[in-house]
Amino acid sequence: MACSCLSDDTWFALSQMRTTTLQVEDPQIIGPNSAGMPEYRLEKVFPVYAVGVSEPDPNLIVSVANTASTLGDPIWDAVKLEAKLEAEKEPILSSFLYASILTHDCLERALSFVLSNRLQNPTLLATQLMDIFSDVIMHNRCIQCSIRLDLQACKDRDPSCLSYCSALLYLKGYHALQTHRVAHTLWNQGRKVLALALQSRVSEVFGVDIHPAAQIGDGILLDHATGVVIGETAVIGNRVSLMQGVTLGGTGKEIGDRHPKIGQGALIGASATILGNIKIGEGAMVGAGSLVMKNVPPHSMVTGIPAKVIGYVDNQDPSLTMKHDASKEFFKQVAISCKEARSNGAVASKDDGST
């Protein structure tokens, strides 16, 4: 049975399939803007992935049936509106914007067009790639949900992301991730050679190497993305943010489950190397340039070579706040704690010597 683009009556329900239930009682439509298009408070549509919000507001959870037909597809609506405005501001890009976005009837087909044109080469034609991407995405509701949650993650967490439209068209981290989702589906269908071909093209074009068998959750941000390597048995939970140069690798030539498992809400800093079948706990933060070869506790902050725990972050997922560095106040508190510990140790030694 063929699947079409997400309809008004079914799209919103998809966000439940891979994440916490996100059924919105009030669609939070602000009203028409100057262009006559409806504006949405998208942090209400995707509360889990908005900056600084780790859990959905329970007051927003109600029946899909009462709201889906009213809400529609706010991400796609925003993409189209932004593309129209950009075409007006930059007429030289109007043909590009029309071909990439405005000529399509849904986000799935627009994304398939963008990816196929980015990855084409003389022997792997854009029309062939378009058929592959469209066939997989249009028949996979989990991917349809994921492409929206990942797009929302880009807009929320990357301060240089100007719009949903610009993320869809230009962010290679987003492109590499969505191509992986298609390759992962093909891999699981037994079409491993085609999946590896897509992996190879992504590596060549975007400088991102993700094995098709790797399991990756929703609401993922690959920020900058250059040099990211994710191994075959790696698992990445929901709401994770990875910076450029991150390696999730093995420790040798052993086979089997040999790559890291990243808990949801974790933030992995630039050029961090995480090796072996170890666990990075939920909400943990790995500092830039760190080498991690042991399990990292949930909500902890690790850094260094080898990485050591230097403190603990707030309950809020660091992947959402994107605060990579510990504050001056944090290190001041660490210094005070170390000084007090030494003082207490010296007092204890003196007491032991006097008895």
Side-chain angles (χ1 to χ4, degrees), residues 286-301:
V286 178
S290 298
L291 173 62
V292 186
M293 300 186 71
K294 294 182 179 180
N295 291 339
V296 173
H299 300 288
S300 64
M301 183 189 305

Side-chain angles (χ1 to χ4, degrees), residues 77 82 88 100 173 195 230 268 315 338:
D77 290 343
E82 291 163 355
E88 293 174 0
S100 300
I230 300 175
I268 313 299
N315 291 330
C338 291

Side-chain angles (χ1 to χ4, degrees), residues 117-333:
N117 280 276
R118 292 298 306 271
L119 296 173
Q120 67 172 325
N121 67 14
T123 59
L124 197 56
L125 304 181
T127 52
Q128 295 172 316
L129 289 170
M130 180 75 176
D131 290 340
I132 294 169
F133 287 121
S134 294
D135 182 62
V136 172
I137 296 175
M138 301 297 284
H139 289 78
N140 191 311
R141 290 189 172 184
C142 289
I143 293 181
Q144 293 174 14
C145 179
S146 296
I147 64 176
R148 289 167 171 80
L149 296 174
D150 294 340
L151 200 61
Q152 184 69 39
C154 292
K155 183 64 169 60
D156 285 339
R157 302 178 213 162
D158 184 354
S160 67
C161 180
L162 300 176
S163 62
Y164 296 97
C165 177
S166 64
L168 174 63
L169 293 174
Y170 308 123
L171 294 191
K172 67 177 184 178
Y174 180 75
H175 295 161
L177 182 57
Q178 307 323 313
T179 305
H180 165 75
R181 296 194 186 284
V182 172
H184 182 69
T185 299
L186 295 170
W187 182 270
N188 290 336
Q189 292 174 350
R191 304 175 69 182
K192 295 187 177 182
V193 174
L194 180 55
L196 291 171
L198 292 179
Q199 176 196 5
S200 177
R201 285 300 295 156
V202 168
S203 180
E204 293 173 15
V205 176
F206 303 133
V208 178
D209 194 355
I210 309 176
H211 193 282
Q215 302 176 50
I216 300 180
D218 298 317
I220 305 298
L221 173 64
L222 299 184
D223 198 2
H224 300 291
T226 301
V228 169
V229 177
I230 300 175
E232 178 182 8
T233 60
V235 178
I236 300 176
N238 297 333
R239 306 194 303 276
V240 170
S241 295
L242 297 93
M243 300 301 293
Q244 67 272 16
V246 168
T247 296
L248 306 182
T251 57
K253 296 192 295 184
E254 72 274 10
I255 61 175
D257 196 354
R258 61 194 184 280
H259 293 102
K261 312 296 180 280
I262 311 299
Q264 66 178 13
L267 172 61
I268 313 299
S271 298
T273 300
I274 305 174
L275 301 178
N277 185 14
I278 60 176
K279 295 182 179 179
I280 307 300
E282 294 185 6
M285 186 179 79
V286 178
S290 298
L291 173 62
V292 186
M293 300 186 71
K294 294 182 179 180
N295 291 339
V296 173
H299 300 288
S300 64
M301 183 189 305
V302 302
T303 189
I305 301 176
K308 296 180 180 179
V309 176
I310 63 170
Y312 289 86
V313 299
D314 296 334
N315 291 330
Q316 191 176 60
D317 291 339
S319 65
L320 303 182
T321 62
M322 294 296 288
K323 293 181 179 179
H324 299 266
D325 59 334
S327 64
K328 180 179 179 182
E329 186 64 27
F330 172 81
F331 285 112
K332 182 179 179 181
Q333 292 299 323

Side-chain angles (χ1 to χ4, degrees), residues 5 21 35 58 99 105 120 182 295 334 347:
C5 291
T21 302
D105 59 358
Q120 67 172 325
V182 172
N295 291 339
V334 170
V347 171

Side-chain angles (χ1 to χ4, degrees), residues 80-130:
K80 290 187 295 183
L81 174 59
E82 291 163 355
K84 290 177 181 177
L85 296 175
E86 288 301 320
E88 293 174 0
K89 285 194 265 184
E90 292 288 353
I92 195 171
L93 294 177
S94 59
S95 295
F96 166 70
L97 292 167
Y98 181 82
S100 300
I101 294 176
L102 298 176
T103 192
H104 304 287
D105 59 358
C106 61
L107 181 60
E108 290 76 9
R109 289 197 174 94
L111 176 61
S112 297
F113 180 89
V114 170
L115 294 180
S116 61
N117 280 276
R118 292 298 306 271
L119 296 173
Q120 67 172 325
N121 67 14
T123 59
L124 197 56
L125 304 181
T127 52
Q128 295 172 316
L129 289 170
M130 180 75 176

